[in-house]
Amino acid sequence: CHTPKIPFKQFRKTFVCALALGLALFLTAPAAQADPAADARTSLKGAIDQVLELIKDPAFSNPATRESQIEKIDSKIREIFDFSEFSSRTVGKNWKNFTDTQKTQFIDAFAQLLRATYIDKIESYNGEEVKYLGETVGTKGDKVEVATSIALKTQEAPIKVSYRMLEKGRWVVYDVVIEGVSLVQNYRTQFNELLQKGDADALIAKVNARAQELREQNKTAAN
């Protein structure tokens, strides 16, 4: 992929570290809530504990059980994100030009990329603290942006991370904003440039290739 405004490796590392700290399996909540901000925050906060428990579990660092633990984490990642929402927003206006088959293929490829990226950097978690700074509710009450800060041991200043959540019968994350940079917009810049040079099939192939590359790197690192 083309290098975004923020160097891709740096953005990916920061995003995944933030994801390992601040995202996890959402808790199912009733569709109608008097306080959507509290509902979204509670879903996200409750989910963090579940992800961190998997990371801290000795099974994750044990070669004999690592793969099984990764599968559990992978399962939670699939439940964290609405990959269809993520994909359509990432491709943007070009999404309408994708066939139904291409949409399905891209959603799967992009999901594989995000999950492989997450697994690639998950070991970076070192018990850092996540603070919840507040929520911004959309005008219709079905969207909430949960602002947090993450105090990484490797950096002097906390990193600000916001999670954009959408209520679709349950709260899901459809975008992550790190230090003011949207993951969706960041990828959209790369993907739109690729689409200008090729078609949807070429983009899908690129995303699949990158996901496969990361999976191979993960296996090598684990061994």
Side-chain angles (χ1 to χ4, degrees), residues 64-175:
T65 54
R66 176 183 173 83
E67 192 62 34
S68 175
Q69 200 72 356
I70 287 178
E71 289 179 3
K72 293 178 183 179
I73 294 170
D74 180 79
S75 177
K76 292 188 181 299
I77 295 172
R78 282 185 269 113
E79 295 180 41
I80 292 167
F81 294 109
D82 183 326
F83 283 119
S84 177
E85 194 77 36
F86 236 119
S87 297
S88 63
R89 290 172 181 267
T90 298
V91 173
K93 63 182 181 180
N94 291 300
W95 190 244
K96 65 179 183 295
N97 299 324
F98 283 41
T99 66
D100 289 342
T101 298
Q102 289 171 331
K103 287 179 179 179
T104 299
Q105 292 174 340
F106 180 82
I107 290 169
D108 180 66
F110 192 46
Q112 293 290 340
L113 175 61
L114 289 180
R115 297 204 297 266
T117 300
Y118 175 60
I119 298 298
D120 181 37
K121 295 298 180 181
I122 197 171
E123 290 95 338
S124 61
Y125 172 70
N126 289 307
E128 292 88 349
E129 180 184 7
V130 178
K131 292 184 179 180
Y132 295 83
L133 308 179
E135 301 78 37
T136 303
V137 181
T139 56
K140 295 182 179 180
D142 62 340
K143 293 181 181 178
V144 175
E145 184 166 325
V146 182
T148 72
S149 67
I150 303 171
L152 296 177
K153 295 179 179 179
T154 56
Q155 298 193 28
E156 293 183 4
I159 296 175
K160 294 181 179 179
V161 182
S162 294
Y163 303 96
R164 291 176 175 170
M165 305 181 71
L166 180 66
E167 201 282 310
K168 299 177 73 173
R170 58 189 182 184
W171 287 97
V172 295
V173 175
Y174 69 88
D175 193 10

Side-chain angles (χ1 to χ4, degrees), residues 5-6 11 160 175-186:
K5 295 180 181 178
I6 291 181
F11 184 88
K160 294 181 179 179
D175 193 10
V176 181
V177 181
I178 301 172
E179 292 293 344
V181 179
S182 161
L183 176 67
V184 165
Q185 292 178 352
N186 201 51

